[in-house]
Structure formats: C-alpha cells, structure tokens
Amino acid sequence: MMHYRPETIHFSLEDTDKAAAMIHKGGLVALPTETVYGLAASAEDGPALVMLYDVKRRDPDKACAVLVTGMDMVERYCQNIPQGAYRLAEKYWPGPLTMILEDKGVVSPATTGESGTLGVRCPNHPVTLEVIRKAGIALSAPSANPSGKPSAKTAQEVLDYFDGHIEGIIDGGPCALGVESTIVDFTGEKPAILREGAIPAQEILAVLGEG
C-alpha cells in the first residue's frame, strides 16, 4: 500500500526539476496534458507502478501507456516500429495520439501487463514535456482519476481524488481539450483504431493511406 502523505506538494510551473526528481525517487506526480491530467510514475520503476495502480484502484493486468518526448525516446522502448507510426508522429506529435507498438522489454512489466506491447504518447504540454526531458525516462501516466471515475481536467479535480495520496502535482490550469487521445494499434497485420478521441479516425486513416 502507498505511504500516506499528510499533504500533496503543489509544484509551480517552474518546478519541473523538482517534479522530475520526485518521480526518480519513486514518487507519483500528477501532470497536466492537453487532454486530461495524468498521474505519472517512472515507467522503469516497478514499485512506483505498483503504487500507481493501487492509488488508482486499477486492474494490475491492464497495460498503461507511457509519455515520451518523441520518436527518439520511443526507439529506446519499442522495436519493429513501422513507417506508419513515424508518419503519424510527424503529423500529430506532440498531440493527442497514442500508438500501440511492440515492447522492447525496457519498461517495467507492470506497465505492459502481459501484452508484450507498449502504448506511447508525446503530450502537447510544455511543462509535462520538460518534466519528461529532465527525468530522462518515459513516464507511465494514466489519467489522474480512480478507475471508473471521470477524468480530471483541473488540478483541483485531481486533488479531490488524491490529495494526501500522491507526492505532488503541477497545476497547469484547465486542460485544453478535455478529451482523451486517439489510440492506434500498430501491432496487428494492419493499423487499427482502438479508441477515437481528440483526433478523428478518418484523419488518421487518411495519413496512413487507409482512408
């Protein structure tokens, strides 16, 4: 079970180095993205991920997408990446696009579950991108809400859920989109859209030449 803190630390937008250091130490930090707030932990830190799943009351067998700074970081964690993934990243990253790719085995198994695949996304939020850069690692960052509850779109909504149960939060104001990312799976015979979110499915298919 997660250690209970009497108070969740509020980081300013300039405190990206402190937030990154806290994640490195195994802490959970809520971060703003352009879609919804995410609850971030190091994707390589098994114990931190166990805490993350515990706090969210999330099924531990359910895989978790990670936040990255771009395809260079994706190449550290994924293999056999198809050209279509590079095309979508060039057009939509940073942005509300999650791609499912073949896992390379670098992230903790707690992130991938038993799937052998890894969801990756580059968020279009300068503060969160800076935290990822300073941490130097991919961040597992599912939406910052208990499983089954509405996604948090403001820092206050995150605190209503988790104050005292996570180490820190960066208040980036209300999320611009408030709609979750579109998910494209590249691990099958042809790309498949698993969830239509902020980017319309038809746009994705057109870029891939499938539309």
Side-chain angles (χ1 to χ4, degrees):
M1 295 292 290
M2 168 131 186
H3 171 66
Y4 182 84
R5 295 186 61 93
E7 184 180 4
T8 294
I9 296 172
H10 291 230
F11 293 115
S12 75
L13 296 178
E14 290 73 42
D15 285 338
T16 52
D17 52 345
K18 294 178 183 176
M22 182 169 279
I23 289 169
H24 257 294
K25 288 189 287 190
L28 306 182
V29 179
L31 300 171
T33 75
E34 77 280 23
T35 54
V36 296
Y37 273 75
L39 188 53
S42 165
E44 300 178 23
D45 186 334
L49 293 168
V50 170
M51 285 198 300
L52 173 61
Y53 275 64
D54 181 52
V55 165
K56 271 186 62 74
R57 300 197 290 276
R58 183 183 174 101
D59 180 351
D61 294 327
K62 192 175 179 182
C64 180
V66 302
L67 300 181
V68 296
T69 53
M71 290 303 288
D72 286 350
M73 186 174 274
V74 170
E75 289 169 356
R76 271 173 49 191
Y77 296 103
C78 300
Q79 58 191 358
N80 300 322
I81 303 169
Q83 282 305 308
Y86 288 94
R87 288 206 301 277
L88 289 187
E90 184 175 5
K91 183 168 179 64
Y92 294 113
W93 276 6
L97 167 73
T98 298
M99 297 188 290
I100 311 296
L101 300 167
E102 188 177 320
D103 178 51
K104 196 184 270 189
V106 177
V107 298
S108 166
T111 295
T112 58
E114 300 296 319
S115 64
T117 65
L118 183 64
V120 292
R121 183 165 102 76
C122 178
N124 189 15
H125 198 290
V127 172
T128 294
L129 282 174
E130 190 67 16
V131 172
I132 302 168
R133 286 191 194 99
K134 287 181 175 175
I137 47 178
L139 304 182
S140 292
S143 55
N145 54 280
S147 293
K149 299 286 188 179
S151 298
K153 302 176 186 67
T154 66
Q156 186 56 54
E157 289 175 1
V158 176
L159 291 171
D160 288 345
Y161 287 139
F162 297 126
D163 196 11
H165 294 275
I166 63 176
E167 273 70 23
I169 180 171
I170 293 182
D171 186 348
C175 296
L177 295 176
V179 179
E180 293 180 320
S181 63
T182 296
I183 301 176
V184 184
D185 187 353
F186 280 100
T187 61
E189 287 187 14
K190 58 186 295 185
I193 295 173
L194 302 187
R195 179 179 75 194
E196 184 171 23
I199 303 171
Q202 208 53 47
E203 275 191 32
I204 298 284
L205 294 173
V207 174
L208 293 173
E210 307 273 346

